[in-house]
Amino acid sequence: GPSAVAHACNLSTLEGRGSFHHHEITALSQSLQPLWKLPFRAFRTDARKIHTAPARTTFLLRPLPILLATGGGYAGYRQYEKYRERELEKLGLEIPPKLAGHWEVALYKSVPTRLLSRAWGRLNQVELPHWLRRPVYSLYIWTFGVNMKEAAVEDLHHYRNLSEFFRRKLKPQARPVCGLHSVISPSDGRILNFGQVKNCEVEQVKGVTYSLESFLGPRTYTEDLPFPPAASCDSFKNQLVTREGNELYHCVIYLAPGDYHCFHSPTDWTVSHRRHFPGSLMSVNPGMARWIKELFCHNERVVLTGDWKHGFFSLTAVGATNVGSIRIYFDRDLHTNSPRHSKGSYNDFSFVTHTNREGVPMRKGEHLGEFNLGSTIVLIFEAPKDFNFQLKTGQKIRFGEALGSL
């Protein structure tokens, strides 16, 4: 080969110059003999690819364990942070909320929670075999602490699927409606926050706020809406307060999966308008409410607005993971968690018509709607300055119990 020829030329040159003796040349030739027998391609740069290929394959497999290790480490860190917060709260120390960054919110919103919620909804509609109903429902009862003694039908075999079990009705005497107070709890749940609305920010939990206008949407004046037009210089809050001397109040109630899933009218009022915001279906449990600012504004929700004896009144049902279905009994045109929607869009529907100038009257305690699993109810209303809440943050409450009164 070329290497052998070059080697022979070099030897001839060395012999011609007399630099080596004959026996030295012979020894050198014998030492180089194994190299001559190697194939020529062993000295080409292409051969290196054969040796680097296994290393490259190993590199391609590395991102998966790195991703798993990173995700597991982050989840473990979050759990440690929650544990530390609980321990500090037990000591009576107030922990400032640690809000999620934009990338964390974007990452969470990239999860197809709407698709998963629709799949969960279809799964809930599957009829269970008679022999399987008791074991499945009993596991759910044990996990979430459901009190079946309050259910109108205690026999677990009566509920054909999970959806019927979630939307079970209660015995009439299980939730007496308080007649002494003007506003009652519309549902079972836990009080996350309450109080006066200051400026245009509302607290979803202590220290974490959301925009009042982003949550309710703009107040567009039409003939059908009971809200008077406000000057452009007025704040959004002032547009809602229709009577001099009144203040704007709010109350947030979180429904856990084991709670009674129907919600009722919290007072005597008239519903004149519905606004439906398609959106994400992120979890709305108290931990997430402390972590994601404006969580309620990101999620799908149905805003019912109208008026009561003291002015503006609204009830908003906020959707959550596996709670894509929000049902309002008197609104047959409402369809939530549809496959397609435009980001930031909303649709309006007025219950005030030429034949019905008042809207839909609701009596305190009357059935209003239901969730498929559990979520959040937000009340925002105006009332005189001497309105007082009969509540404590974090307390458990049941439908029919007092929220507040004058």
Side-chain angles (χ1 to χ4, degrees):
S3 298
V5 173
H7 177 66
C9 293
N10 291 337
L11 291 179
S12 300
T13 304
L14 291 174
E15 286 180 331
R17 294 179 180 179
S19 300
F20 290 89
H21 296 290
H22 178 73
H23 67 276
E24 293 175 328
I25 295 173
T26 304
L28 180 61
S29 300
Q30 292 176 352
S31 64
L32 294 176
Q33 187 67 29
L35 296 178
W36 298 350
K37 295 180 179 179
L38 288 173
F40 175 63
R41 66 176 180 274
F43 290 90
R44 294 170 55 193
T45 55
D46 295 351
R48 294 178 182 176
K49 296 181 180 179
I50 298 175
H51 301 290
T52 58
R56 185 172 299 172
T57 304
T58 304
F59 176 77
L60 292 175
L61 294 177
R62 285 177 184 172
L64 180 59
I66 290 175
L67 180 62
L68 293 175
T70 304
Y74 179 75
Y77 171 75
R78 288 290 305 163
Q79 291 300 321
Y80 169 74
E81 286 288 314
K82 292 179 181 180
Y83 169 76
R84 190 178 65 172
E85 290 177 3
R86 287 195 298 267
E87 292 300 314
L88 292 176
E89 287 175 352
K90 290 179 182 178
L91 297 176
L93 300 176
E94 185 173 340
I95 310 300
K98 187 177 181 180
L99 298 178
H102 292 295
W103 70 270
E104 291 175 304
V105 177
L107 182 63
Y108 189 8
K109 292 179 73 173
S110 67
V111 177
T113 52
R114 295 177 63 84
L115 177 62
L116 294 174
S117 297
R118 285 196 296 274
W120 176 255
R122 292 186 179 182
L123 179 63
N124 288 350
Q125 298 292 335
V126 175
E127 184 170 345
L128 296 176
H130 193 271
W131 61 269
L132 191 58
R133 296 175 187 178
R134 179 175 290 277
V136 170
Y137 301 146
S138 296
L139 178 61
Y140 186 90
I141 292 169
W142 176 79
T143 303
F144 297 106
V146 178
N147 184 4
M148 285 302 295
K149 292 183 178 180
E150 298 176 334
V153 180
E154 298 184 36
D155 183 13
L156 298 180
H157 294 107
H158 169 79
Y159 303 100
R160 295 173 297 177
N161 51 50
L162 284 167
S163 181
E164 288 188 0
F165 180 72
F166 293 150
R167 296 180 288 107
R168 64 191 177 278
K169 299 297 187 289
L170 299 182
K171 296 173 181 176
Q173 66 274 18
R175 296 289 186 274
V177 175
C178 178
L180 299 178
H181 295 79
S182 54
V183 183
I184 62 169
S185 176
S187 65
D188 290 6
R190 184 180 298 276
I191 302 296
L192 294 190
N193 214 313
F194 64 93
Q196 283 191 18
V197 176
K198 297 180 180 179
N199 299 321
C200 286
E201 292 287 318
V202 187
E203 284 190 322
Q204 57 191 26
V205 295
K206 190 173 183 180
V208 182
T209 62
Y210 58 93
S211 166
L212 182 63
E213 185 171 5
S214 297
F215 182 69
L216 295 178
R219 285 268 71 87
T220 305
Y221 177 73
T222 65
E223 291 182 347
D224 295 333
L225 292 179
F227 316 113
S232 59
C233 60
D234 287 351
S235 70
F236 184 79
K237 173 186 171 185
N238 291 336
Q239 295 181 43
L240 299 181
V241 178
T242 60
R243 301 182 186 181
E244 187 176 355
N246 280 1
E247 293 288 344
L248 201 63
Y249 297 87
H250 76 103
C251 182
V252 183
I253 305 170
Y254 167 69
L255 288 74
D259 288 329
Y260 167 57
H261 298 120
C262 297
F263 51 93
H264 301 246
S265 176
T267 191
D268 295 335
W269 65 308
T270 301
V271 183
S272 56
H273 185 261
R274 178 259 291 162
R275 176 168 285 167
H276 172 216
F277 290 85
S280 302
L281 288 174
M282 297 184 284
S283 172
V284 292
N285 67 58
M288 296 302 298
R290 284 177 57 87
W291 189 48
I292 298 181
K293 182 178 173 64
E294 297 201 335
L295 172 62
F296 299 156
C297 297
H298 290 297
N299 272 18
E300 181 156 5
R301 58 198 181 278
V302 177
V303 182
L304 300 178
T305 54
D307 59 340
W308 69 318
K309 60 183 178 181
H310 300 296
F312 171 77
F313 198 96
S314 73
L315 181 148
T316 301
V318 183
T321 307
N322 295 335
V323 197
S325 175
I326 302 171
R327 183 183 175 192
I328 305 298
Y329 293 138
F330 58 78
D331 188 356
R332 296 182 179 179
D333 295 322
L334 175 65
H335 300 285
T336 58
N337 195 16
S338 57
R340 295 182 181 181
H341 72 281
S342 300
K343 183 179 180 181
S345 66
Y346 59 85
N347 57 78
D348 291 326
F349 185 85
S350 177
F351 299 108
V352 177
T353 63
H354 294 291
T355 58
N356 178 17
R357 302 296 299 178
E358 295 183 357
V360 181
M362 297 296 299
R363 303 294 297 175
K364 183 169 65 174
E366 186 177 351
H367 279 83
L368 182 55
E370 63 187 33
F371 293 112
N372 259 355
L373 187 59
S375 190
T376 298
I377 297 285
V378 180
L379 302 179
I380 298 175
F381 57 94
E382 70 170 303
K385 293 182 178 180
D386 57 349
F387 181 87
N388 292 314
F389 284 102
Q390 312 291 323
L391 302 172
K392 292 182 180 179
T393 302
Q395 78 172 69
K396 289 283 293 180
I397 198 166
R398 303 201 303 177
F399 156 61
E401 295 179 346
L403 288 184
S405 189
L406 298 172

